[in-house]
Amino acid sequence: MDEQRLNNAAAVDVAHPVIGPGHTYSSVTDKISSIVLTEKTPRGWLVGFTICFLGTMALLFTIANLLLRGVGIWGVNIPVGWGFDIINFVWWIGIGHAGTLISAILLLLRQEWRTSINRFAEAMTLFAVACAGMYPLLHMGRPWLAYWLLPYPNTMGTWPQPRSPLVWDVFAVSTYATVSFLFWFIGLIPDFATLRDRAQNRLVKILYGMLAMGWRGSAFHWQRYESAYLLLVGLATPLVVSVHTVVSFDFAVGIIPGWHATIFPPYFVAGAIFAGFAMVLTLAIPLRTYYKLGDFITMRHLDNMGKMLLATGLIVSYGYLMELFMAWYSGSPYEKYMMFNRLHGPYKPLYYLLILCNVLAPQLLWSARVRGSQVALWLISLVVSLGMWLERFVIVVMSLHRDFLPSSWGMYYPTKFDWSMFLGTIGFFLTLMFLFIRFLPMISIFEMRTIVPQPAGKARQ
């Protein structure tokens, strides 16, 4: 009898490698919902939230200084008119790409392994876009006039310039944020109903009941849910490609050497997915360990994300190689000097560190042993996040600080307010993530229940 039970469990584990064996409908629901509905907040959560909230306060302090004193508190100058603001804008937008990719494209490809990670990846997308959106608004100097970028009816004759990629950004990012929010919220509705039905506190029950929007799990509700979800998947899938393509146009339509390149759209999209998966790993591994979610976020998930990190890293490496090749092949002295400046100029340590982080470090992921180590994957994901930030620094600053005229050359040095703004957005991002983990299910309950493995002959509970 015991031998038969072991054989059944082994068969289930092979057939359903997405979730650990031994789980039932009720055990999945209990495990995930208990993280949210527990009355006692874990001490580790409180410590982490406090640290991140201090970062949010630093962000608010910096923004207050910026609005009082102007953008001069940043290190931007002539010729580097774009500094940390555009670097961090592109970096945060890139991080937000993994959530939509995991949710939309992997769903269309029927990849079941996305189920355990799609919920907090989608939340990560929203929080990253919120951080990214701050930078262009504050860089304007007069953020209260940001609505001028929209083609609203007005009598002043103030219309946005439709040929400017900065205006394209407004529509691309706002569309991306809207669709991502709807996609995330609709996916949460069945889980809100589960939390509503399980909550003991009346106020909590009412709040989750309002968010559940009357969900009762009827066939009619599921039919409408599936239709809406599929429609949003169809909208979100092209957005994965289009949003960062439009962001790359900020640079590609310019004439500055180092920007004026047709490879930028696919290069930026691959880099965004690269950075996004690195951030998913950075968040998933600590969550998996702290909340003991090894049965839901299995080593198979981490292995697959490691493979995605390796694949997109190879595409990014190809982009770096093509930049070198095209600078030589074009015969343009300006393009040649741009690459010479990267290799031998005053910022060359940052370029070599970029190559180390984005090209050499991911090659360790060829090894199954490395992909099977949580510590190694987490460290590589941190290195990749640093490398992708350095890539944006190289593209923005190293292309601007030495352009066509040597008489206009200059250096860019970020100020303490540049750093406090950047670190503050990281604190704000993690603060939102901590709140999400505490009050919403970080793993989709109803989707996990659809793949619960059951031994032969045993009814689902």
Side-chain angles (χ1 to χ4, degrees):
M1 186 69 180
D2 291 339
E3 184 179 353
Q4 181 64 34
R5 190 182 297 113
L6 289 174
N7 290 337
N8 285 339
V12 166
D13 197 26
V14 171
H16 299 273
V18 178
I19 187 173
H23 280 289
T24 63
Y25 273 21
S26 58
S27 67
V28 167
T29 306
D30 289 340
K31 176 68 175 177
I32 300 174
S33 62
S34 64
I35 298 173
V36 177
L37 296 177
T38 180
E39 294 182 2
K40 186 177 181 181
T41 302
R43 181 176 298 176
W45 186 94
L46 291 173
V47 172
F49 178 78
T50 301
I51 295 172
C52 296
F53 188 72
L54 291 175
T56 304
M57 292 298 99
L59 171 66
L60 296 177
F61 174 78
T62 305
I63 292 175
N65 267 277
L66 182 73
L67 297 179
L68 287 172
R69 300 166 59 185
V71 295
I73 66 172
W74 286 341
V76 290
N77 55 38
I78 295 176
V80 186
W82 278 359
F84 263 36
D85 50 341
I86 198 67
I87 293 169
N88 297 328
F89 165 72
V90 179
W91 187 70
W92 279 117
I93 287 290
I95 285 174
H97 266 58
T100 307
L101 176 79
I102 291 171
S103 296
I105 295 180
L106 296 185
L107 177 63
L108 291 177
L109 296 176
R110 300 186 183 280
Q111 297 294 309
E112 282 190 340
W113 65 272
R114 63 173 280 282
T115 306
S116 296
I117 58 176
N118 69 314
R119 176 64 55 75
F120 68 82
E122 292 167 18
M124 185 190 79
T125 292
L126 295 175
F127 305 152
V129 170
C131 293
M134 296 181 193
Y135 282 99
L137 290 177
L138 295 172
H139 180 76
M140 295 172 63
R142 296 180 177 87
W144 50 88
L145 300 179
Y147 66 92
W148 284 8
L149 291 168
L150 302 174
Y152 68 99
N154 69 91
T155 58
M156 298 183 294
T158 305
W159 298 100
Q161 172 54 273
R163 291 179 292 180
S164 169
L166 303 181
V167 174
W168 307 342
D169 267 351
V170 173
F171 291 95
V173 174
S174 59
T175 303
Y176 183 64
T178 303
V179 172
S180 296
F181 174 77
L182 291 174
F183 193 60
W184 175 73
F185 180 77
I186 288 178
L188 274 165
I189 289 177
D191 288 356
F192 283 139
T194 299
L195 297 176
R196 172 200 64 200
D197 297 338
R198 285 175 165 261
Q200 301 299 318
N201 184 290
R202 180 169 175 77
L203 178 60
V204 173
K205 187 182 288 286
I206 290 173
L207 290 175
Y208 285 127
M210 293 172 63
L211 291 171
M213 302 178 71
W215 180 273
R216 289 292 180 270
S218 67
F220 178 75
H221 286 174
W222 279 112
Q223 187 268 333
R224 288 294 178 91
Y225 171 84
E226 295 290 347
S227 299
Y229 208 63
L230 188 61
L231 176 63
L232 288 171
V233 166
L235 289 172
T237 300
L239 282 175
V240 175
V241 178
S242 67
V243 171
H244 223 61
T245 298
V246 171
V247 170
S248 75
F249 289 161
D250 293 350
F251 308 100
V253 302
I255 61 172
I256 298 294
W259 288 5
H260 193 66
T262 54
I263 198 175
F264 265 26
Y267 168 47
F268 266 54
V269 171
I273 297 171
F274 188 44
F277 267 95
M279 185 58 72
V280 170
L281 276 170
T282 303
L283 297 174
I285 292 173
L287 288 176
R288 179 182 190 268
T289 303
Y290 184 78
Y291 286 103
K292 298 179 174 59
L293 298 173
D295 284 344
F296 301 135
I297 305 175
T298 66
M299 289 309 299
R300 182 195 177 207
H301 294 95
L302 302 184
D303 181 74
N304 284 341
M305 285 191 282
K307 291 176 181 177
M308 286 293 296
L309 207 60
L310 175 61
T312 49
L314 291 173
I315 298 173
V316 170
S317 301
Y318 174 78
Y320 297 153
L321 182 63
M322 284 300 100
E323 281 187 316
L324 282 165
F325 172 75
M326 292 309 297
W328 166 78
Y329 187 72
S330 67
S332 168
Y334 306 109
E335 292 289 336
K336 288 181 179 178
Y337 182 77
M338 178 271 297
M339 288 309 305
F340 177 85
N341 184 46
R342 288 185 181 181
L343 295 170
H344 304 286
Y347 291 115
K348 67 180 179 181
L350 298 181
Y351 183 73
Y352 290 121
L353 183 58
L354 155 68
I355 298 300
L356 174 64
C357 293
N358 285 355
V359 178
L360 301 180
Q363 303 311 311
L364 297 172
L365 295 170
W366 286 103
S367 168
R369 174 177 290 185
V370 173
R371 296 198 307 273
S373 169
Q374 294 186 73
V375 175
L377 276 176
W378 192 70
L379 291 175
I380 290 173
S381 68
L382 289 177
V383 167
V384 168
S385 294
L386 171 63
M388 290 309 297
W389 186 88
L390 288 171
E391 179 198 288
R392 275 59 183 235
F393 186 94
V394 166
I395 291 174
V396 174
V397 174
M398 293 180 68
S399 299
L400 284 174
H401 90 112
R402 290 185 175 178
D403 53 12
F404 297 101
L405 296 175
S407 60
S408 66
W409 288 0
M411 295 292 289
Y412 170 78
Y413 300 103
T415 66
K416 62 181 180 181
F417 291 106
D418 284 298
W419 286 111
S420 64
M421 181 86 176
F422 176 47
L423 297 176
T425 54
I426 294 176
F428 178 61
F429 171 81
L430 292 176
T431 297
L432 294 175
M433 187 59 69
F434 270 101
L435 291 172
F436 165 73
I437 292 167
R438 181 64 183 87
F439 297 109
L440 299 175
M442 71 177 86
I443 297 175
S444 177
I445 299 173
F446 82 93
E447 286 187 290
M448 290 301 296
R449 289 190 304 211
T450 64
I451 57 173
V452 167
Q454 293 293 328
K458 184 176 180 180
R460 288 183 171 179
Q461 298 180 14

